[in-house]
Amino acid sequence: MGAVTPPTDLSYSLTEHVLSNGLRVVINPEHHAPVVAVNLWYGVGSRDETPGRTGLAHLFEHVMFQGSEHVASGEHFDLLQAAGATGNATTWFDRTNYFEAVPTGALDLALWLEADRMGRLLPALTQTNLDTQRDVVKEEKRQRYDNAPYGDTLERLLPLAFPADHPYGHTVIGSMADLDAASLEDAHEFFRCWYSPANAVLTLSGDVDPEGALPLIERYFGPLEAAHHPQRVSPASLLPLSGVPRDTASGAVPAAQLYLQWRTPPRQHPDADAVDLALSILGGSETSRLYRRLVRDADLASTAGAGAVPLAVGNSLSHVFARAREGVALEHLEEVALDEVQRLADQGPTAAELHRAQVQFEREWLTDASRVESRADLLSGLVMLDGDPQRLNTRVTQIAALDASAVQEAARAWLAPQARAVLEYRPATKEATA
């Protein structure tokens, strides 16, 4: 095999601008196709909800498509589709984002729609609209969380890592009781608190130039009030888990599944990248240590892997999981999985393992960066969570610069077997389902 060519920094052109009302703007021109990605991040997620009112951030992901002062209910999607555009939204613990991919000629329309609901949503946020979208979210919770195999896994893992009143201690979708309890005034107040120019990042990527786009952005977003939003809760970092907290769940699942969980560093911590590489080496693909040992070699599991719940402040969460073959005890699966985690901490990764994990990151990053929609989303996140969109161009070389000792030390510091929590998910017995 020939010499490996080291990665180099990317060179995407980026222009940054801040409106007088605080809206942060990034423009990334690329004229390969007549399409513009419009991506808007708000600095609000489930971590910003108050006890008894969980689920409001995700509820707004739905409410924001139900019209605003100059857009009738249901018209947002209709206008985009008529222009040949697509759009959607997602919610996470640390943010909510709204995005469209529009033909170049429809950029005016997309900016106007986003500005109208940013500045003038409340006239359309009626009790009827709130009740309708609350029912939609409750049905989503039933389908994706309550009635799906393993659907409540994260709902069970979070309490093993965080106190009940911790900002990250509840799921993004919230609870049925809290959704039912939310009043129209609660919803209005949540919008007034968090949906403002100063709490948002707008990214345009694709067939657009700063000279043409900035006047449009100023026209539509500039008149919006620079409303102040509350100081976000930034939980302190918690110590590693102790005492091996455990939980057991049962449900209509095809096989018993094991989850091991650790508190690991948040996004901007110096060890965060090395922990991510350790997780990739342990369980990021079918060539990973856990998959090879548990699935291919010992035939103890039908699948196995590792991953993270990345969080912005305090702690992230890291997981190892494995689905047991019939007749294999979860206790034995746990023992073997922990042996692989400990071996990485004791010996570190091989050169080939480290290179494979770095190349896997590079491939995924370059894939996201190559598409205007996902690139715009990366840029909004880099501004909102890191304050630096130029990391789009440097992340691959940052990851490539980590050596085996950094990954070994991260595994030793953050993935110690005694600092784990354990969730055992077992098929329900006939007696339990009768």
Side-chain angles (χ1 to χ4, degrees):
M1 187 176 77
V4 175
T5 303
T8 58
D9 286 348
L10 305 179
S11 56
Y12 286 105
S13 174
L14 306 175
T15 297
E16 299 177 65
H17 183 73
V18 181
L19 271 58
S20 60
N21 57 19
L23 179 68
R24 290 159 287 178
V25 177
V26 178
I27 299 174
N28 160 231
E30 183 185 80
H31 303 291
H32 292 165
V35 175
V36 183
V38 179
N39 190 288
L40 190 62
W41 273 45
Y42 289 91
V44 59
S46 59
R47 99 183 205 213
D48 302 297
E49 296 161 350
T50 57
R53 292 297 181 269
T54 63
L56 275 174
H58 175 252
L59 181 59
F60 263 88
E61 176 195 320
H62 293 256
V63 168
M64 288 278 279
F65 287 99
Q66 296 309 300
S68 48
E69 184 173 15
H70 302 109
V71 181
S73 180
E75 194 177 23
H76 191 105
F77 274 130
D78 290 344
L79 289 170
L80 287 174
Q81 290 170 356
T86 60
N88 214 327
T90 66
T91 312
W92 189 240
F93 293 90
D94 297 302
R95 57 92 183 121
T96 307
N97 70 328
Y98 301 85
F99 47 92
E100 296 90 25
V102 304
T104 305
L107 178 59
D108 268 87
L109 172 65
L111 293 176
W112 175 74
L113 286 170
E114 290 292 359
D116 202 63
R117 62 182 177 180
M118 176 187 283
R120 295 173 284 273
L121 181 85
L122 293 185
L125 182 45
T126 63
Q127 188 69 55
T128 298
N129 274 344
L130 178 64
D131 291 343
T132 298
Q133 296 311 306
R134 180 180 6 229
D135 288 343
V136 170
V137 171
K138 288 168 66 176
E139 183 58 26
E140 179 183 344
K141 186 176 188 302
R142 293 184 191 100
Q143 291 183 6
R144 294 179 52 196
Y145 293 79
D146 299 342
N147 299 322
Y150 313 106
D152 61 344
T153 295
L154 187 58
E155 197 169 11
R156 293 179 176 276
L157 285 169
L158 289 175
L160 292 173
F162 298 120
D165 60 351
H166 193 278
Y168 292 136
H170 63 275
T171 59
V172 171
I173 203 163
S175 74
M176 288 288 199
D178 288 356
L179 288 168
D180 283 336
S183 67
L184 182 62
E185 181 51 39
D186 291 332
H188 278 233
E189 180 60 27
F190 193 84
F191 179 85
R192 286 191 291 263
C193 281
W194 300 110
Y195 281 81
S196 68
N199 196 36
V201 175
L202 172 65
T203 298
L204 305 184
S205 182
D207 189 25
V208 61
D209 288 305
E211 312 82 65
L214 282 173
L216 289 177
I217 294 168
E218 288 281 3
R219 179 195 306 171
Y220 295 121
F221 290 90
L224 304 185
E225 291 185 16
H228 296 288
H229 57 87
Q231 183 68 35
R232 300 192 76 185
V233 175
S234 294
S237 296
L238 300 174
L239 293 173
L241 293 164
S242 61
V244 189
R246 290 178 175 268
D247 187 21
T248 300
S250 63
V253 296
Q257 192 147 303
L258 173 74
Y259 301 87
L260 309 179
Q261 174 174 261
W262 290 264
R263 290 175 180 158
T264 47
R267 180 185 177 99
Q268 294 187 29
H269 191 282
D271 291 347
D273 289 340
V275 171
D276 285 346
L277 286 178
L279 294 171
S280 181
I281 290 162
L282 283 169
S285 70
E286 293 187 1
T287 62
S288 67
R289 291 188 175 197
L290 288 167
Y291 196 92
R292 288 201 315 268
R293 183 166 179 188
L294 295 176
V295 179
R296 291 184 176 177
D297 297 343
D299 200 29
L300 298 174
S302 60
T303 189
V309 178
L311 301 170
V313 289
N315 299 88
S316 292
L317 299 179
S318 293
H319 302 106
V320 161
F321 66 90
R323 185 172 299 177
R325 293 285 191 192
E326 186 174 356
V328 175
L330 289 184
E331 293 78 9
H332 182 48
L333 209 56
E334 181 178 351
E335 179 183 354
V336 179
L338 286 174
D339 183 63
E340 283 301 317
V341 176
Q342 187 65 60
R343 191 164 68 87
L344 182 62
D346 290 342
Q347 302 173 11
T350 67
E353 286 177 322
L354 177 59
H355 178 67
R356 188 160 52 240
Q358 290 167 325
V359 168
Q360 184 174 331
F361 175 89
E362 180 180 2
R363 182 181 66 251
E364 292 170 356
W365 189 264
L366 294 179
T367 298
D368 284 345
S370 69
R371 299 174 58 250
V372 291
E373 298 98 322
S374 49
R375 188 192 317 139
D377 197 59
L378 285 176
L379 286 166
S380 291
L382 290 170
V383 174
M384 178 69 70
L385 302 179
D386 300 330
D388 183 12
Q390 291 295 337
R391 293 189 82 198
L392 174 74
N393 289 324
T394 60
R395 284 293 286 148
V396 170
T397 53
Q398 288 172 349
I399 296 297
L402 292 170
D403 59 21
S405 64
V407 175
Q408 181 180 3
E409 286 303 314
R412 184 179 296 160
W414 296 99
L415 301 176
Q418 67 272 18
R420 75 191 187 278
V422 182
L423 172 63
E424 298 177 354
Y425 212 124
R426 301 177 181 275
T429 63
K430 292 181 180 180
E431 291 79 10
T433 58

